[in-house]
Amino acid sequence: MAGWIHSATGPMTTHFWGPVANWGLAGSGIYDASLKGPEIINERMSATQVLYSGLFVRFAWAVQPRNYILASCHTANVLAQSNQLRRWAVHKMETDPETGPATVRTAGIMGAGLAAGITGMIFASTPLQNSLKGGTGFVARMAVHPAGPFYIHFWAPNFKWALSINNLMDYDRPTDKISLSMTSALTLTGLIFMRWSFVITPVNYSLFAVNAALSTSSGYLLARKVKADYIDK
């Protein structure tokens, strides 16, 4: 036990607490599915989290030290947010029988198109990287850099910008449709991962920047929710 406590990914390190904080994302999805109605589901944010967590499962496996806690929490979040999307689709079709099915169908087509695009990029990345890394200059250096655009160390952190973009798009979302648990989890994980970005190998400055944006944008929505539910009442 003492060996694990003081290990590279033990509870005395950010390698432990960063991934543990990310369990809040999956916990939020599970909590809202169990105790909250489907009307508070933000389908855009849930769909973004499915893709984001899928990328971070791979990221957790590739980063050193390899982080099984991070991989497991993001696997759980993929399942939790997928269930939230299912609940949203059922609710949409039941409460809006005229346009609901078309809305759900369009969302499904867009999701499938995005997944196909990502798959295509994955298969095309290796031949493209091989064609670039033999040269000289900035492009060649970026092609082989471990945190460059041909590695998961680049894509997982940078896709996290989509979470902040979602928050900005929801800046005036009615507070009764804001999930307290989700905004709390996003704010906390952003704060902790700002620190984690400096203790992993390679150090990832883009991860720091995206988490600063996430903690700020989520914190704004969280503050609006707390003000409306607990201060103004």
Side-chain angles (χ1 to χ4, degrees):
M1 177 63 73
W4 171 72
I5 291 175
H6 296 284
S7 68
T9 56
M12 303 298 290
T13 70
T14 315
H15 296 297
F16 176 84
W17 290 109
V20 166
N22 263 338
W23 270 104
L25 301 178
S28 167
I30 295 169
Y31 174 85
D32 285 352
S34 301
L35 300 176
K36 301 293 182 179
E39 64 276 358
I40 72 165
I41 296 174
N42 186 330
E43 73 280 2
R44 188 177 356 97
M45 179 61 85
S46 288
T48 302
Q49 285 198 48
V50 169
L51 293 174
Y52 154 73
S53 284
L55 288 171
F56 259 89
V57 170
R58 171 59 182 149
F59 178 85
W61 192 261
V63 76
Q64 294 298 320
R66 183 171 291 168
N67 204 306
Y68 300 102
I69 302 175
L70 186 63
S72 62
C73 74
H74 278 292
T75 299
N77 195 41
V78 169
L79 298 174
Q81 298 304 330
S82 295
N83 180 55
Q84 286 293 80
L85 287 174
R86 178 195 63 79
R87 294 180 68 225
W88 167 80
V90 171
H91 175 70
K92 188 70 175 177
M93 290 188 290
E94 288 179 348
T95 57
D96 188 5
E98 291 187 4
T99 62
T103 300
V104 172
R105 184 165 55 251
T106 300
I109 292 172
M110 292 176 62
L114 181 59
I118 293 174
T119 301
M121 289 174 60
I122 292 173
F123 280 102
S125 63
T126 299
L128 180 58
Q129 181 187 24
N130 290 336
S131 69
L132 294 174
K133 67 182 181 181
T136 58
F138 174 77
V139 174
R141 291 195 300 272
M142 287 298 294
V144 298
H145 195 282
F150 290 98
Y151 295 94
I152 194 66
H153 298 292
F154 175 88
W155 287 106
N158 280 288
F159 189 83
K160 204 169 189 177
W161 282 107
L163 300 178
S164 295
I165 292 171
N166 272 293
N167 283 335
L168 293 176
M169 294 174 68
D170 289 332
Y171 77 97
D172 61 348
R173 186 178 178 88
T175 55
D176 61 329
K177 294 185 180 299
I178 293 177
S179 168
L180 180 64
S181 63
M182 178 180 288
T183 51
S184 298
L186 288 170
T187 302
L188 179 61
T189 189
L191 290 171
I192 293 181
F193 268 78
M194 287 169 64
R195 167 58 181 161
W196 195 64
S197 61
F198 288 105
V199 298
I200 58 174
T201 303
V203 170
N204 202 311
Y205 297 101
S206 64
L207 184 63
F208 171 82
V210 72
N211 278 287
L214 179 63
S215 62
T216 302
S217 58
S218 298
Y220 167 73
L221 293 177
L222 176 60
R224 288 186 61 225
K225 179 68 171 178
V226 171
K227 183 176 183 294
D229 287 7
Y230 300 102
I231 298 175
D232 291 344
K233 285 187 175 181

